[in-house]
Amino acid sequence: MTKQMHLAAHFPGVNSTTVWADPRSRSQIDFASFEQLARTAERGKFDFFFLAEGLRLREHNGLIHDLDVVGRPESLTVLNALAAVTDRLGLAATVNATFNEPYELARRLATLDHLSEGRAAWNVVTSSDAFTGENFRRGGYLDRSDRYTRAAEFVATARELWDSWTPDGTSRPFAHSGQHFQVSGEFTVPRSPQGHPVVIQAGDSGEGREFAASAADVIFTRHGTLEAGRIFYADVKARLAKYGRQPDDLKIMPGVTVVIGDTDAEAQQNAAEIRRLQVSPQNAILAMEQVWGRDLSSYDPDGPLPDIDPDPGSRLSQGRAGLADPLVRAAEWRALSAAKGLSIRQTVIETTTRQSFIGSPQTVAAELETFVSTGAADGFILVPHLTPGGLDPFVDRVVPLLQERGAFRSEYAGSTLRSHLGLAEPVWKG
């Protein structure tokens, strides 16, 4: 039998992958935008709808980063509202394990799971950024190793709370004593329809892979090419056995973008235009500044790359993960620019995130199926470049072909997110 793929929809708009200038682009804040994209995903029989999170507005050169979404509503609040206008679609919120507490978050997630009748998911992320931590009473930050130990204990503690109610509806006291948390009492929300909300993990580091293998149901990765996907897939799946888990217990779903045309050539033209709009002259200089760590506003976006070296210790950008070695990245960009005669803007277009799947509906469907059938992914989280209508071409033109191939469901077989993902309900450990 053809292996069934899993599909999810990411609500775009938290970075420069969105084409803001397109006249079809709508609000990132109005509930109508969230509802339209969610309804489209459910019409396409997607597994879940995914919201990212930002806990502080990024800054660049001392100013709020122009491309960040200002006033983006809190994810779980939005998903609780979407539970009322969807029937089967899973609802996934990104919530930070560094700046939240287990009891409070476990209640909110269990509440969403009840209100949605078993469709809640939690994308666990961490932060080692003191800049972000300033927004919180505790402040400061955790070292890289500590943030993952806290996240692992956070997830384990939340599961203890969810298991403090028996499957038949009896509440029992809980008590947890660990390195990061000391909590005890009684949990106020009965066991939810799918036992525990689905746990998603986003992170490609060694620590992140190990955390996902030990504790997650889904891993959201950036490995979008076939070969990189196969290597990542094999590595993460091989880590599961030490935790007593089977390969199908963890679904690997890279975030991808798709550009469709009536022909492959038309799709390539469409993709090139999207990239041109995503990397405006302003965006090109900003992307170069994030590598160089210097003010490059005097440089021409259509001119050559800077002749000065990056400042490795720069704090020009706040709230972003820093590059491992800006000097190496700059050398790579310079070599590419020299080899192909590229300007600053052309170099950024060439080197930064681009569309993962480009082609006619038939080409895209075949490539997606190849990824899943050859062990590069279990499915995909689609990130459209337009809000909220960017998912429609995929649902209207690619999903029917996947269904014809037997690679994707034609109808939901169950009502919970775990049933969509083929995950068993957690064994009660009360």
Side-chain angles (χ1 to χ4, degrees), residues 60-243:
H60 184 79
N61 206 13
L63 300 174
I64 298 298
H65 180 32
D66 290 344
L67 295 178
D68 271 358
V69 176
V70 178
R72 177 76 172 266
E74 190 273 329
S75 296
L76 280 169
T77 305
V78 173
L79 295 183
N80 277 299
L82 287 176
V85 296
T86 55
D87 296 314
R88 291 289 184 268
L89 184 69
L91 303 168
T94 302
V95 186
N96 196 295
T98 305
F99 300 114
N100 282 283
E101 297 298 324
Y103 182 84
E104 188 269 343
L105 181 55
R107 287 185 72 227
R108 293 165 64 201
L109 289 164
T111 298
L112 174 60
D113 211 40
H114 276 285
L115 293 179
S116 65
E117 298 182 312
R119 297 185 280 135
W122 169 27
N123 179 40
V124 184
V125 296
T126 65
S127 176
S128 61
D129 184 358
F131 174 77
T132 299
E134 290 175 357
N135 268 359
F136 295 85
R137 178 175 60 85
R138 180 161 54 85
Y141 64 98
L142 294 174
D143 288 334
R144 186 178 187 88
S145 58
D146 289 338
R147 63 184 173 126
Y148 276 110
T149 60
R150 177 184 167 93
E153 187 179 339
F154 196 125
V155 173
T157 305
R159 285 174 167 154
E160 290 176 31
L161 301 179
W162 294 326
D163 276 343
S164 66
W165 281 75
T166 67
D168 63 6
T170 302
S171 173
R172 297 184 177 186
F174 66 84
H176 174 90
S177 177
Q179 177 184 353
H180 294 278
F181 307 110
Q182 304 280 336
V183 294
S184 62
E186 292 192 7
F187 195 54
T188 59
V189 185
R191 189 172 177 83
S192 61
Q194 56 180 349
H196 299 169
V198 168
V199 172
I200 305 170
Q201 193 271 339
D204 290 335
S205 67
E207 298 98 324
R209 297 181 191 202
E210 202 66 26
F211 175 49
S214 67
D217 300 306
V218 177
I219 184 166
F220 178 20
T221 173
R222 296 181 180 180
H223 291 278
T225 66
L226 186 61
E227 187 55 33
R230 286 171 176 165
I231 293 170
F232 180 84
Y233 189 95
D235 176 78
V236 174
K237 295 284 187 174
R239 297 172 187 250
L240 292 167
K242 74 177 74 172
Y243 300 104

